[in-house]
PDB file of all heavy atoms in Angstrom:
ATOM      1  N   LYS O   3       0.874  -1.208  -0.032  1.00  0.00           N
ATOM      2  CA  LYS O   3       0.023  -0.064  -0.018  1.00  0.00           C
ATOM      3  C   LYS O   3       0.888   1.254   0.015  1.00  0.00           C
ATOM      4  O   LYS O   3       0.616   2.173   0.741  1.00  0.00           O
ATOM      5  CB  LYS O   3      -0.919  -0.007   1.143  1.00  0.00           C
ATOM      6  CG  LYS O   3      -1.922  -1.225   1.103  1.00  0.00           C
ATOM      7  CD  LYS O   3      -2.753  -1.264   2.382  1.00  0.00           C
ATOM      8  CE  LYS O   3      -3.698  -2.355   2.321  1.00  0.00           C
ATOM      9  NZ  LYS O   3      -3.092  -3.656   2.847  1.00  0.00           N
ATOM     10  N   CYS O   4       1.835   1.229  -0.938  1.00  0.00           N
ATOM     11  CA  CYS O   4       2.870   2.289  -0.965  1.00  0.00           C
ATOM     12  C   CYS O   4       2.673   3.132  -2.295  1.00  0.00           C
ATOM     13  O   CYS O   4       2.329   2.460  -3.251  1.00  0.00           O
ATOM     14  CB  CYS O   4       4.329   1.808  -0.949  1.00  0.00           C
ATOM     15  SG  CYS O   4       4.715   1.332   0.781  1.00  0.00           S
ATOM     16  N   PRO O   5       3.057   4.373  -2.253  1.00  0.00           N
ATOM     17  CA  PRO O   5       3.048   5.131  -3.559  1.00  0.00           C
ATOM     18  C   PRO O   5       4.130   4.610  -4.541  1.00  0.00           C
ATOM     19  O   PRO O   5       5.138   4.057  -4.068  1.00  0.00           O
ATOM     20  CB  PRO O   5       3.269   6.568  -3.227  1.00  0.00           C
ATOM     21  CG  PRO O   5       3.888   6.572  -1.790  1.00  0.00           C
ATOM     22  CD  PRO O   5       3.383   5.243  -1.247  1.00  0.00           C
ATOM     23  N   SER O   6       3.968   4.843  -5.752  1.00  0.00           N
ATOM     24  CA  SER O   6       5.014   4.268  -6.789  1.00  0.00           C
ATOM     25  C   SER O   6       6.328   4.817  -6.667  1.00  0.00           C
ATOM     26  O   SER O   6       7.305   4.144  -7.092  1.00  0.00           O
ATOM     27  CB  SER O   6       4.451   4.457  -8.155  1.00  0.00           C
ATOM     28  OG  SER O   6       4.337   5.877  -8.485  1.00  0.00           O
ATOM     29  N   ARG O   7       6.570   5.859  -6.091  1.00  0.00           N
ATOM     30  CA  ARG O   7       7.954   6.442  -6.052  1.00  0.00           C
ATOM     31  C   ARG O   7       8.526   6.258  -4.644  1.00  0.00           C
ATOM     32  O   ARG O   7       9.521   6.863  -4.333  1.00  0.00           O
ATOM     33  CB  ARG O   7       7.879   7.985  -6.389  1.00  0.00           C
ATOM     34  CG  ARG O   7       7.471   8.243  -7.849  1.00  0.00           C
ATOM     35  CD  ARG O   7       7.864   9.623  -8.261  1.00  0.00           C
ATOM     36  NE  ARG O   7       7.472   9.827  -9.523  1.00  0.00           N
ATOM     37  CZ  ARG O   7       8.074   9.748 -10.656  1.00  0.00           C
ATOM     38  NH1 ARG O   7       9.394   9.308 -10.620  1.00  0.00           N
ATOM     39  NH2 ARG O   7       7.587   9.957 -11.826  1.00  0.00           N
ATOM     40  N   GLN O   8       7.894   5.377  -3.872  1.00  0.00           N
ATOM     41  CA  GLN O   8       8.413   5.169  -2.490  1.00  0.00           C
ATOM     42  C   GLN O   8       9.841   4.472  -2.591  1.00  0.00           C
ATOM     43  O   GLN O   8      10.023   3.453  -3.290  1.00  0.00           O
ATOM     44  CB  GLN O   8       7.442   4.145  -1.789  1.00  0.00           C
ATOM     45  CG  GLN O   8       7.964   3.703  -0.405  1.00  0.00           C
ATOM     46  CD  GLN O   8       7.984   4.808   0.632  1.00  0.00           C
ATOM     47  OE1 GLN O   8       6.948   5.501   0.980  1.00  0.00           O
ATOM     48  NE2 GLN O   8       9.116   5.109   1.190  1.00  0.00           N
ATOM     49  N   LYS O   9      10.832   5.053  -1.929  1.00  0.00           N
ATOM     50  CA  LYS O   9      12.135   4.528  -1.849  1.00  0.00           C
ATOM     51  C   LYS O   9      12.024   3.251  -0.922  1.00  0.00           C
ATOM     52  O   LYS O   9      11.361   3.134   0.179  1.00  0.00           O
ATOM     53  CB  LYS O   9      13.027   5.565  -1.185  1.00  0.00           C
ATOM     54  CG  LYS O   9      14.513   5.135  -1.239  1.00  0.00           C
ATOM     55  CD  LYS O   9      15.271   6.352  -0.594  1.00  0.00           C
ATOM     56  CE  LYS O   9      16.722   6.102  -0.588  1.00  0.00           C
ATOM     57  NZ  LYS O   9      17.522   7.208  -0.062  1.00  0.00           N
ATOM     58  N   MET O  10      12.699   2.072  -1.431  1.00  0.00           N
ATOM     59  CA  MET O  10      12.725   0.770  -0.801  1.00  0.00           C
ATOM     60  C   MET O  10      14.017   0.263  -0.522  1.00  0.00           C
ATOM     61  O   MET O  10      14.921   0.404  -1.283  1.00  0.00           O
ATOM     62  CB  MET O  10      11.976  -0.237  -1.640  1.00  0.00           C
ATOM     63  CG  MET O  10      10.564   0.068  -1.993  1.00  0.00           C
ATOM     64  SD  MET O  10       9.539  -0.505  -0.654  1.00  0.00           S
ATOM     65  CE  MET O  10       7.882   0.192  -1.332  1.00  0.00           C
ATOM     66  N   LEU O  11      14.203  -0.287   0.652  1.00  0.00           N
ATOM     67  CA  LEU O  11      15.357  -1.172   0.948  1.00  0.00           C
ATOM     68  C   LEU O  11      15.046  -2.551   0.416  1.00  0.00           C
ATOM     69  O   LEU O  11      14.010  -3.131   0.789  1.00  0.00           O
ATOM     70  CB  LEU O  11      15.601  -1.196   2.410  1.00  0.00           C
ATOM     71  CG  LEU O  11      16.872  -2.094   2.768  1.00  0.00           C
ATOM     72  CD1 LEU O  11      18.192  -1.515   2.270  1.00  0.00           C
ATOM     73  CD2 LEU O  11      16.945  -2.204   4.301  1.00  0.00           C
ATOM     74  N   VAL O  12      15.809  -2.957  -0.516  1.00  0.00           N
ATOM     75  CA  VAL O  12      15.568  -4.280  -1.153  1.00  0.00           C
ATOM     76  C   VAL O  12      16.608  -5.224  -0.787  1.00  0.00           C
ATOM     77  O   VAL O  12      17.826  -4.893  -0.924  1.00  0.00           O
ATOM     78  CB  VAL O  12      15.585  -4.186  -2.704  1.00  0.00           C
ATOM     79  CG1 VAL O  12      15.288  -5.555  -3.379  1.00  0.00           C
ATOM     80  CG2 VAL O  12      14.468  -3.120  -3.266  1.00  0.00           C
ATOM     81  N   ARG O  13      16.266  -6.402  -0.230  1.00  0.00           N
ATOM     82  CA  ARG O  13      17.200  -7.296   0.156  1.00  0.00           C
ATOM     83  C   ARG O  13      16.931  -8.655  -0.514  1.00  0.00           C
ATOM     84  O   ARG O  13      15.803  -9.204  -0.402  1.00  0.00           O
ATOM     85  CB  ARG O  13      17.174  -7.475   1.707  1.00  0.00           C
ATOM     86  CG  ARG O  13      18.107  -8.525   2.315  1.00  0.00           C
ATOM     87  CD  ARG O  13      18.047  -8.402   3.810  1.00  0.00           C
ATOM     88  NE  ARG O  13      19.075  -9.200   4.438  1.00  0.00           N
ATOM     89  CZ  ARG O  13      18.854 -10.402   5.083  1.00  0.00           C
ATOM     90  NH1 ARG O  13      17.733 -10.860   5.180  1.00  0.00           N
ATOM     91  NH2 ARG O  13      19.959 -10.949   5.624  1.00  0.00           N
ATOM     92  N   GLU O  14      17.869  -9.264  -1.173  1.00  0.00           N
ATOM     93  CA  GLU O  14      17.722 -10.532  -1.772  1.00  0.00           C
ATOM     94  C   GLU O  14      18.785 -11.558  -1.273  1.00  0.00           C
ATOM     95  O   GLU O  14      19.916 -11.211  -1.200  1.00  0.00           O
ATOM     96  CB  GLU O  14      17.844 -10.439  -3.395  1.00  0.00           C
ATOM     97  CG  GLU O  14      16.719  -9.606  -3.938  1.00  0.00           C
ATOM     98  CD  GLU O  14      16.854  -9.312  -5.348  1.00  0.00           C
ATOM     99  OE1 GLU O  14      17.974  -9.031  -5.769  1.00  0.00           O
ATOM    100  OE2 GLU O  14      15.845  -9.395  -6.011  1.00  0.00           O
ATOM    101  N   VAL O  15      18.325 -12.727  -0.858  1.00  0.00           N
ATOM    102  CA  VAL O  15      19.215 -13.654  -0.220  1.00  0.00           C
ATOM    103  C   VAL O  15      18.779 -15.088  -0.687  1.00  0.00           C
ATOM    104  O   VAL O  15      17.831 -15.324  -1.222  1.00  0.00           O
ATOM    105  CB  VAL O  15      19.122 -13.597   1.339  1.00  0.00           C
ATOM    106  CG1 VAL O  15      19.527 -12.336   1.884  1.00  0.00           C
ATOM    107  CG2 VAL O  15      17.753 -14.037   1.845  1.00  0.00           C
ATOM    108  N   ILE O  16      19.809 -15.984  -0.549  1.00  0.00           N
ATOM    109  CA  ILE O  16      19.519 -17.415  -0.692  1.00  0.00           C
ATOM    110  C   ILE O  16      19.633 -17.977   0.771  1.00  0.00           C
ATOM    111  O   ILE O  16      20.559 -17.791   1.447  1.00  0.00           O
ATOM    112  CB  ILE O  16      20.585 -18.083  -1.607  1.00  0.00           C
ATOM    113  CG1 ILE O  16      20.612 -17.426  -2.967  1.00  0.00           C
ATOM    114  CG2 ILE O  16      20.366 -19.626  -1.610  1.00  0.00           C
ATOM    115  CD1 ILE O  16      19.395 -17.767  -3.762  1.00  0.00           C
ATOM    116  N   LEU O  17      18.656 -18.731   1.059  1.00  0.00           N
ATOM    117  CA  LEU O  17      18.553 -19.530   2.339  1.00  0.00           C
ATOM    118  C   LEU O  17      19.113 -20.879   1.963  1.00  0.00           C
ATOM    119  O   LEU O  17      18.510 -21.606   1.121  1.00  0.00           O
ATOM    120  CB  LEU O  17      17.134 -19.496   2.961  1.00  0.00           C
ATOM    121  CG  LEU O  17      16.500 -18.229   3.131  1.00  0.00           C
ATOM    122  CD1 LEU O  17      15.088 -18.401   3.686  1.00  0.00           C
ATOM    123  CD2 LEU O  17      17.423 -17.289   4.031  1.00  0.00           C
ATOM    124  N   LYS O  18      20.171 -21.292   2.572  1.00  0.00           N
ATOM    125  CA  LYS O  18      20.875 -22.634   2.292  1.00  0.00           C
ATOM    126  C   LYS O  18      20.695 -23.570   3.431  1.00  0.00           C
ATOM    127  O   LYS O  18      20.800 -23.159   4.495  1.00  0.00           O
ATOM    128  CB  LYS O  18      22.331 -22.289   2.065  1.00  0.00           C
ATOM    129  CG  LYS O  18      22.622 -21.480   0.772  1.00  0.00           C
ATOM    130  CD  LYS O  18      24.090 -21.460   0.522  1.00  0.00           C
ATOM    131  CE  LYS O  18      24.319 -20.966  -0.934  1.00  0.00           C
ATOM    132  NZ  LYS O  18      25.775 -21.272  -1.352  1.00  0.00           N
ATOM    133  N   GLY O  19      20.512 -24.783   3.000  1.00  0.00           N
ATOM    134  CA  GLY O  19      20.412 -25.948   3.969  1.00  0.00           C
ATOM    135  C   GLY O  19      21.444 -26.978   3.455  1.00  0.00           C
ATOM    136  O   GLY O  19      21.434 -27.275   2.263  1.00  0.00           O
ATOM    137  N   ARG O  20      22.250 -27.434   4.356  1.00  0.00           N
ATOM    138  CA  ARG O  20      23.203 -28.396   4.022  1.00  0.00           C
ATOM    139  C   ARG O  20      24.078 -28.107   2.851  1.00  0.00           C
ATOM    140  O   ARG O  20      24.387 -28.885   2.042  1.00  0.00           O
ATOM    141  CB  ARG O  20      22.521 -29.834   3.746  1.00  0.00           C
ATOM    142  CG  ARG O  20      21.754 -30.380   4.972  1.00  0.00           C
ATOM    143  CD  ARG O  20      21.114 -31.756   4.662  1.00  0.00           C
ATOM    144  NE  ARG O  20      19.869 -31.870   5.463  1.00  0.00           N
ATOM    145  CZ  ARG O  20      18.791 -32.298   4.988  1.00  0.00           C
ATOM    146  NH1 ARG O  20      18.694 -32.695   3.721  1.00  0.00           N
ATOM    147  NH2 ARG O  20      17.702 -32.386   5.746  1.00  0.00           N
ATOM    148  N   GLY O  21      24.424 -26.769   2.709  1.00  0.00           N
ATOM    149  CA  GLY O  21      25.208 -26.283   1.688  1.00  0.00           C
ATOM    150  C   GLY O  21      24.536 -26.115   0.362  1.00  0.00           C
ATOM    151  O   GLY O  21      25.179 -25.707  -0.620  1.00  0.00           O
ATOM    152  N   GLU O  22      23.227 -26.433   0.337  1.00  0.00           N
ATOM    153  CA  GLU O  22      22.545 -26.365  -1.009  1.00  0.00           C
ATOM    154  C   GLU O  22      21.584 -25.025  -0.992  1.00  0.00           C
ATOM    155  O   GLU O  22      21.034 -24.677   0.127  1.00  0.00           O
ATOM    156  CB  GLU O  22      21.662 -27.490  -1.200  1.00  0.00           C
ATOM    157  CG  GLU O  22      22.546 -28.782  -1.335  1.00  0.00           C
ATOM    158  CD  GLU O  22      21.718 -30.057  -1.560  1.00  0.00           C
ATOM    159  OE1 GLU O  22      20.535 -30.122  -0.868  1.00  0.00           O
ATOM    160  OE2 GLU O  22      21.973 -30.972  -2.264  1.00  0.00           O
ATOM    161  N   SER O  23      21.328 -24.526  -2.118  1.00  0.00           N
ATOM    162  CA  SER O  23      20.483 -23.306  -2.211  1.00  0.00           C
ATOM    163  C   SER O  23      19.051 -23.805  -2.196  1.00  0.00           C
ATOM    164  O   SER O  23      18.521 -24.474  -3.113  1.00  0.00           O
ATOM    165  CB  SER O  23      20.734 -22.649  -3.604  1.00  0.00           C
ATOM    166  OG  SER O  23      21.982 -22.082  -3.590  1.00  0.00           O
ATOM    167  N   TRP O  24      18.331 -23.428  -1.083  1.00  0.00           N
ATOM    168  CA  TRP O  24      16.988 -24.004  -0.896  1.00  0.00           C
ATOM    169  C   TRP O  24      15.863 -22.986  -1.242  1.00  0.00           C
ATOM    170  O   TRP O  24      14.817 -23.335  -1.691  1.00  0.00           O
ATOM    171  CB  TRP O  24      16.791 -24.444   0.622  1.00  0.00           C
ATOM    172  CG  TRP O  24      17.368 -25.823   0.766  1.00  0.00           C
ATOM    173  CD1 TRP O  24      18.038 -26.677  -0.099  1.00  0.00           C
ATOM    174  CD2 TRP O  24      17.330 -26.598   1.981  1.00  0.00           C
ATOM    175  NE1 TRP O  24      18.376 -27.893   0.509  1.00  0.00           N
ATOM    176  CE2 TRP O  24      17.875 -27.800   1.829  1.00  0.00           C
ATOM    177  CE3 TRP O  24      16.799 -26.350   3.352  1.00  0.00           C
ATOM    178  CZ2 TRP O  24      18.049 -28.755   2.750  1.00  0.00           C
ATOM    179  CZ3 TRP O  24      16.923 -27.161   4.230  1.00  0.00           C
ATOM    180  CH2 TRP O  24      17.611 -28.434   4.038  1.00  0.00           C
ATOM    181  N   VAL O  25      16.060 -21.744  -0.773  1.00  0.00           N
ATOM    182  CA  VAL O  25      15.066 -20.761  -0.974  1.00  0.00           C
ATOM    183  C   VAL O  25      15.627 -19.411  -1.384  1.00  0.00           C
ATOM    184  O   VAL O  25      16.726 -18.949  -0.804  1.00  0.00           O
ATOM    185  CB  VAL O  25      14.273 -20.446   0.369  1.00  0.00           C
ATOM    186  CG1 VAL O  25      13.300 -19.358   0.255  1.00  0.00           C
ATOM    187  CG2 VAL O  25      13.619 -21.786   0.772  1.00  0.00           C
ATOM    188  N   PHE O  26      15.060 -18.755  -2.461  1.00  0.00           N
ATOM    189  CA  PHE O  26      15.420 -17.451  -2.794  1.00  0.00           C
ATOM    190  C   PHE O  26      14.363 -16.504  -2.096  1.00  0.00           C
ATOM    191  O   PHE O  26      13.190 -16.698  -2.139  1.00  0.00           O
ATOM    192  CB  PHE O  26      15.313 -17.158  -4.327  1.00  0.00           C
ATOM    193  CG  PHE O  26      15.257 -15.780  -4.709  1.00  0.00           C
ATOM    194  CD1 PHE O  26      16.511 -14.976  -4.656  1.00  0.00           C
ATOM    195  CD2 PHE O  26      14.139 -15.102  -5.060  1.00  0.00           C
ATOM    196  CE1 PHE O  26      16.501 -13.656  -5.034  1.00  0.00           C
ATOM    197  CE2 PHE O  26      14.207 -13.801  -5.466  1.00  0.00           C
ATOM    198  CZ  PHE O  26      15.317 -13.032  -5.475  1.00  0.00           C
ATOM    199  N   ALA O  27      14.825 -15.539  -1.339  1.00  0.00           N
ATOM    200  CA  ALA O  27      14.060 -14.639  -0.569  1.00  0.00           C
ATOM    201  C   ALA O  27      14.299 -13.178  -0.923  1.00  0.00           C
ATOM    202  O   ALA O  27      15.421 -12.776  -1.166  1.00  0.00           O
ATOM    203  CB  ALA O  27      14.231 -14.797   0.884  1.00  0.00           C
ATOM    204  N   ARG O  28      13.198 -12.514  -1.191  1.00  0.00           N
ATOM    205  CA  ARG O  28      13.282 -11.093  -1.492  1.00  0.00           C
ATOM    206  C   ARG O  28      12.448 -10.291  -0.531  1.00  0.00           C
ATOM    207  O   ARG O  28      11.292 -10.586  -0.336  1.00  0.00           O
ATOM    208  CB  ARG O  28      12.736 -10.827  -2.879  1.00  0.00           C
ATOM    209  CG  ARG O  28      12.610  -9.446  -3.418  1.00  0.00           C
ATOM    210  CD  ARG O  28      12.167  -9.425  -4.870  1.00  0.00           C
ATOM    211  NE  ARG O  28      11.563  -8.043  -5.285  1.00  0.00           N
ATOM    212  CZ  ARG O  28      12.447  -7.077  -5.618  1.00  0.00           C
ATOM    213  NH1 ARG O  28      13.729  -7.221  -5.685  1.00  0.00           N
ATOM    214  NH2 ARG O  28      11.776  -5.943  -5.976  1.00  0.00           N
ATOM    215  N   SER O  29      13.097  -9.364   0.127  1.00  0.00           N
ATOM    216  CA  SER O  29      12.350  -8.447   1.144  1.00  0.00           C
ATOM    217  C   SER O  29      12.367  -7.040   0.750  1.00  0.00           C
ATOM    218  O   SER O  29      13.404  -6.562   0.274  1.00  0.00           O
ATOM    219  CB  SER O  29      13.020  -8.673   2.475  1.00  0.00           C
ATOM    220  OG  SER O  29      13.082 -10.025   2.892  1.00  0.00           O
ATOM    221  N   LEU O  30      11.302  -6.348   0.934  1.00  0.00           N
ATOM    222  CA  LEU O  30      11.194  -5.002   0.537  1.00  0.00           C
ATOM    223  C   LEU O  30      10.764  -4.216   1.818  1.00  0.00           C
ATOM    224  O   LEU O  30       9.707  -4.544   2.331  1.00  0.00           O
ATOM    225  CB  LEU O  30      10.237  -4.678  -0.574  1.00  0.00           C
ATOM    226  CG  LEU O  30      10.787  -5.209  -1.880  1.00  0.00           C
ATOM    227  CD1 LEU O  30      10.096  -6.443  -2.235  1.00  0.00           C
ATOM    228  CD2 LEU O  30      10.609  -4.127  -2.943  1.00  0.00           C
ATOM    229  N   VAL O  31      11.457  -3.231   2.141  1.00  0.00           N
ATOM    230  CA  VAL O  31      11.101  -2.343   3.372  1.00  0.00           C
ATOM    231  C   VAL O  31      10.965  -0.875   2.867  1.00  0.00           C
ATOM    232  O   VAL O  31      12.015  -0.344   2.478  1.00  0.00           O
ATOM    233  CB  VAL O  31      12.146  -2.382   4.406  1.00  0.00           C
ATOM    234  CG1 VAL O  31      11.651  -1.750   5.754  1.00  0.00           C
ATOM    235  CG2 VAL O  31      12.508  -3.957   4.773  1.00  0.00           C
ATOM    236  N   PRO O  32       9.808  -0.256   2.888  1.00  0.00           N
ATOM    237  CA  PRO O  32       9.723   1.036   2.575  1.00  0.00           C
ATOM    238  C   PRO O  32      10.657   1.956   3.380  1.00  0.00           C
ATOM    239  O   PRO O  32      10.693   1.707   4.662  1.00  0.00           O
ATOM    240  CB  PRO O  32       8.239   1.432   2.770  1.00  0.00           C
ATOM    241  CG  PRO O  32       7.540   0.089   2.775  1.00  0.00           C
ATOM    242  CD  PRO O  32       8.513  -0.842   3.260  1.00  0.00           C
ATOM    243  N   TYR O  33      11.238   2.983   2.893  1.00  0.00           N
ATOM    244  CA  TYR O  33      12.049   3.924   3.648  1.00  0.00           C
ATOM    245  C   TYR O  33      11.411   4.380   4.923  1.00  0.00           C
ATOM    246  O   TYR O  33      11.984   4.419   5.929  1.00  0.00           O
ATOM    247  CB  TYR O  33      12.490   5.042   2.727  1.00  0.00           C
ATOM    248  CG  TYR O  33      13.229   6.159   3.433  1.00  0.00           C
ATOM    249  CD1 TYR O  33      14.602   5.921   3.668  1.00  0.00           C
ATOM    250  CD2 TYR O  33      12.731   7.265   3.855  1.00  0.00           C
ATOM    251  CE1 TYR O  33      15.372   6.856   4.304  1.00  0.00           C
ATOM    252  CE2 TYR O  33      13.496   8.341   4.456  1.00  0.00           C
ATOM    253  CZ  TYR O  33      14.822   8.025   4.663  1.00  0.00           C
ATOM    254  OH  TYR O  33      15.586   9.002   5.295  1.00  0.00           O
ATOM    255  N   THR O  34      10.024   4.664   4.746  1.00  0.00           N
ATOM    256  CA  THR O  34       9.274   5.176   5.896  1.00  0.00           C
ATOM    257  C   THR O  34       9.187   4.175   6.992  1.00  0.00           C
ATOM    258  O   THR O  34       8.811   4.564   8.094  1.00  0.00           O
ATOM    259  CB  THR O  34       7.962   5.681   5.421  1.00  0.00           C
ATOM    260  OG1 THR O  34       7.240   4.585   4.735  1.00  0.00           O
ATOM    261  CG2 THR O  34       8.083   6.872   4.499  1.00  0.00           C
ATOM    262  N   SER O  35       9.380   2.906   6.696  1.00  0.00           N
ATOM    263  CA  SER O  35       9.291   1.873   7.769  1.00  0.00           C
ATOM    264  C   SER O  35      10.448   1.623   8.531  1.00  0.00           C
ATOM    265  O   SER O  35      10.551   0.916   9.543  1.00  0.00           O
ATOM    266  CB  SER O  35       8.908   0.496   7.098  1.00  0.00           C
ATOM    267  OG  SER O  35       7.495   0.510   6.682  1.00  0.00           O
ATOM    268  N   LEU O  36      11.637   2.232   8.098  1.00  0.00           N
ATOM    269  CA  LEU O  36      12.893   1.930   8.847  1.00  0.00           C
ATOM    270  C   LEU O  36      13.124   2.859   9.915  1.00  0.00           C
ATOM    271  O   LEU O  36      14.051   3.639  10.094  1.00  0.00           O
ATOM    272  CB  LEU O  36      14.124   2.168   7.632  1.00  0.00           C
ATOM    273  CG  LEU O  36      14.128   1.066   6.624  1.00  0.00           C
ATOM    274  CD1 LEU O  36      15.092   1.463   5.520  1.00  0.00           C
ATOM    275  CD2 LEU O  36      14.594  -0.198   7.188  1.00  0.00           C
ATOM    276  N   THR O  37      12.204   2.675  10.888  1.00  0.00           N
ATOM    277  CA  THR O  37      12.240   3.521  12.156  1.00  0.00           C
ATOM    278  C   THR O  37      12.140   2.462  13.233  1.00  0.00           C
ATOM    279  O   THR O  37      11.696   1.328  13.137  1.00  0.00           O
ATOM    280  CB  THR O  37      11.112   4.511  12.187  1.00  0.00           C
ATOM    281  OG1 THR O  37       9.908   3.791  12.239  1.00  0.00           O
ATOM    282  CG2 THR O  37      11.234   5.533  11.105  1.00  0.00           C
ATOM    283  N   GLY O  38      12.368   2.890  14.520  1.00  0.00           N
ATOM    284  CA  GLY O  38      12.275   2.152  15.693  1.00  0.00           C
ATOM    285  C   GLY O  38      12.987   0.758  15.537  1.00  0.00           C
ATOM    286  O   GLY O  38      14.130   0.670  15.098  1.00  0.00           O
ATOM    287  N   ARG O  39      12.188  -0.383  15.880  1.00  0.00           N
ATOM    288  CA  ARG O  39      12.891  -1.688  15.852  1.00  0.00           C
ATOM    289  C   ARG O  39      13.288  -2.110  14.403  1.00  0.00           C
ATOM    290  O   ARG O  39      14.095  -2.875  14.284  1.00  0.00           O
ATOM    291  CB  ARG O  39      11.975  -2.612  16.490  1.00  0.00           C
ATOM    292  CG  ARG O  39      11.757  -2.409  17.977  1.00  0.00           C
ATOM    293  CD  ARG O  39      11.048  -3.485  18.692  1.00  0.00           C
ATOM    294  NE  ARG O  39       9.714  -3.821  18.122  1.00  0.00           N
ATOM    295  CZ  ARG O  39       8.523  -3.263  18.653  1.00  0.00           C
ATOM    296  NH1 ARG O  39       8.555  -2.516  19.687  1.00  0.00           N
ATOM    297  NH2 ARG O  39       7.390  -3.702  18.103  1.00  0.00           N
ATOM    298  N   LEU O  40      12.625  -1.575  13.433  1.00  0.00           N
ATOM    299  CA  LEU O  40      12.843  -1.959  12.009  1.00  0.00           C
ATOM    300  C   LEU O  40      14.250  -1.356  11.435  1.00  0.00           C
ATOM    301  O   LEU O  40      14.716  -1.719  10.454  1.00  0.00           O
ATOM    302  CB  LEU O  40      11.819  -1.626  11.140  1.00  0.00           C
ATOM    303  CG  LEU O  40      10.590  -2.572  11.186  1.00  0.00           C
ATOM    304  CD1 LEU O  40       9.511  -2.206  10.216  1.00  0.00           C
ATOM    305  CD2 LEU O  40      10.970  -3.995  10.970  1.00  0.00           C
ATOM    306  N   LYS O  41      14.777  -0.418  12.203  1.00  0.00           N
ATOM    307  CA  LYS O  41      16.120   0.154  11.841  1.00  0.00           C
ATOM    308  C   LYS O  41      17.102  -0.909  11.626  1.00  0.00           C
ATOM    309  O   LYS O  41      18.010  -0.755  10.880  1.00  0.00           O
ATOM    310  CB  LYS O  41      16.548   1.169  12.845  1.00  0.00           C
ATOM    311  CG  LYS O  41      16.495   2.559  12.466  1.00  0.00           C
ATOM    312  CD  LYS O  41      17.068   3.498  13.427  1.00  0.00           C
ATOM    313  CE  LYS O  41      16.686   4.958  13.211  1.00  0.00           C
ATOM    314  NZ  LYS O  41      17.193   5.826  14.217  1.00  0.00           N
ATOM    315  N   ALA O  42      17.029  -1.900  12.479  1.00  0.00           N
ATOM    316  CA  ALA O  42      17.965  -3.015  12.458  1.00  0.00           C
ATOM    317  C   ALA O  42      18.070  -3.732  11.067  1.00  0.00           C
ATOM    318  O   ALA O  42      19.027  -4.350  10.790  1.00  0.00           O
ATOM    319  CB  ALA O  42      17.696  -4.007  13.607  1.00  0.00           C
ATOM    320  N   LEU O  43      17.040  -3.615  10.205  1.00  0.00           N
ATOM    321  CA  LEU O  43      17.023  -4.260   8.973  1.00  0.00           C
ATOM    322  C   LEU O  43      18.058  -3.809   8.099  1.00  0.00           C
ATOM    323  O   LEU O  43      18.491  -4.553   7.201  1.00  0.00           O
ATOM    324  CB  LEU O  43      15.646  -4.118   8.320  1.00  0.00           C
ATOM    325  CG  LEU O  43      14.430  -4.746   9.010  1.00  0.00           C
ATOM    326  CD1 LEU O  43      13.136  -4.549   8.253  1.00  0.00           C
ATOM    327  CD2 LEU O  43      14.649  -6.237   9.277  1.00  0.00           C
ATOM    328  N   LYS O  44      18.524  -2.563   8.197  1.00  0.00           N
ATOM    329  CA  LYS O  44      19.619  -2.044   7.267  1.00  0.00           C
ATOM    330  C   LYS O  44      20.912  -2.761   7.597  1.00  0.00           C
ATOM    331  O   LYS O  44      21.794  -2.699   6.777  1.00  0.00           O
ATOM    332  CB  LYS O  44      19.752  -0.535   7.567  1.00  0.00           C
ATOM    333  CG  LYS O  44      18.588   0.278   7.153  1.00  0.00           C
ATOM    334  CD  LYS O  44      18.941   1.764   7.177  1.00  0.00           C
ATOM    335  CE  LYS O  44      18.833   2.286   8.537  1.00  0.00           C
ATOM    336  NZ  LYS O  44      18.910   3.784   8.595  1.00  0.00           N
TER     337      LYS O  44
END
């Protein structure tokens, strides 16, 4: 529910199990959400 020009922190990772690539994960955090406890996401 964000406007189209909202600045986002984009994080892409591979979750690995037993040395193998199991899950591709993509997380998006709007700039306006990076306050309080969510600051740690940076």
